Amino acid sequence: MNHRTHPGPKAPYRRRATAMGAAVSGCALVVAAASSGAAAAADGARPDSRTHYVSLGDSYTSGPLIPRQVDANCARSDHNYPSLVAAERKAVVLKDVSCSGATTENMWKAQGTNGPQLDSVRRDTDLVTVQIGGNDIGFSSIIGTCAQLSSKDPLGNPCQRYYASSGVDQLVLNVLDTAPQVARVLRAVHARAPHARVLVVGYPDLLPDDGSGCYPSVPFAAKDFPYLRDTGKRLNLMLRLVAQLNRAEYVDTYGPTRGHDMCKAPADRWIEPLRPASPAAPAHPNAKGEEVMARAVLERLGKGGGRHH
């Protein structure tokens, strides 16, 4: 009796089995990758290595009138310091929502077409810069009031007398009242982006640091120059302290801009006077001023690591 040898699987069957095995292996890889991605997301990491940077702030951040303006609603320039910082560092994705006229309230409240600034801070945000508080203490109204009063007593201190007429300096109170508002902003940033590095950017040197004046080029009374200089320093000191108390780093822009205030000649100044000679808003940094602030931020970034864990 002859015994036949049973043939092996036919070729089509073998091909189907091979294909099925490859599909199963492929599914396993997809599942593994998805699980790995989910674990990374849970740890706050991302599969890419780009730095996600969000810029929050007012007109000193947005750069009104500095070419090239890219947002008319917020008077935002693509040569403001956040843009320059992003251009200098590798693999940075910038979301700049700074807006002229912003106060701490605008971190939660829209300004025209600019939504609440904090909405741009997300869990995958790596870096946040915050420059806010100047409008909370009343920068614009202070400048307007002091300029108007100067004609009544150009050698005296009519502005200081005005703000201290109640017996207590109103501008000192304004700075103190703004401190908890800035602290609230920083707490909100940390809550939305727990791993982000947060930098509080101070304000530049607007007036001569030695207290001298330049009336009528900058129309403040002679003895109001040191008074307004001290108000700016008080604001920056408050920002430094609030940053330290709220797990943020402070970026000094006053020191790097000292000696280039609005009283200097056009070729030497980085802050424009009330009648600007360079494209910039009155009493605001020009393009050079934004560049110097960018360098201050970059220097601060070079002194520490990336995310906080």
Side-chain angles (χ1 to χ4, degrees), residues 8-27:
K10 295 181 179 179
Y13 176 83
R14 286 198 299 270
R15 287 197 293 270
R16 287 196 298 270
T18 302
M20 184 176 297
V24 170
S25 298
C27 287

Side-chain angles (χ1 to χ4, degrees), residues 129-152:
T129 55
V130 183
Q131 189 177 41
I132 202 72
N135 290 321
D136 291 78
I137 75 166
F139 259 2
S140 295
S141 63
I142 293 168
I143 290 172
T145 298
C146 294
Q148 184 177 12
L149 291 172
S150 65
S151 61
K152 299 180 179 180

Side-chain angles (χ1 to χ4, degrees), residues 4-155:
R4 296 182 184 177
T5 301
H6 292 286
K10 295 181 179 179
Y13 176 83
R14 286 198 299 270
R15 287 197 293 270
R16 287 196 298 270
T18 302
M20 184 176 297
V24 170
S25 298
C27 287
L29 288 173
V30 170
V31 171
S35 299
S36 174
D43 290 338
R46 285 189 317 277
D48 64 73
S49 59
R50 296 179 300 171
T51 298
H52 287 236
Y53 168 25
V54 175
S55 165
L56 312 176
D58 55 29
S59 54
Y60 281 73
T61 307
S62 67
L65 303 184
I66 296 173
R68 180 176 60 108
Q69 293 286 293
V70 293
D71 186 318
N73 177 70
C74 285
R76 189 185 304 129
S77 169
D78 65 359
H79 277 68
N80 60 10
Y81 75 77
S83 299
L84 298 176
V85 167
E88 182 71 21
R89 290 174 70 86
K90 295 179 180 179
V92 170
V93 179
L94 170 64
K95 180 66 174 177
D96 184 5
V97 291
S98 60
C99 199
S100 183
T103 66
T104 52
E105 184 180 1
N106 294 117
M107 300 299 108
W108 290 270
K109 182 180 178 181
Q111 282 179 275
T113 57
N114 203 53
Q117 293 192 27
L118 279 168
D119 284 359
S120 294
V121 180
R122 304 164 64 91
R123 289 191 67 82
D124 66 349
T125 299
D126 302 301
L127 171 66
V128 180
T129 55
V130 183
Q131 189 177 41
I132 202 72
N135 290 321
D136 291 78
I137 75 166
F139 259 2
S140 295
S141 63
I142 293 168
I143 290 172
T145 298
C146 294
Q148 184 177 12
L149 291 172
S150 65
S151 61
K152 299 180 179 180
D153 186 7
L155 299 179

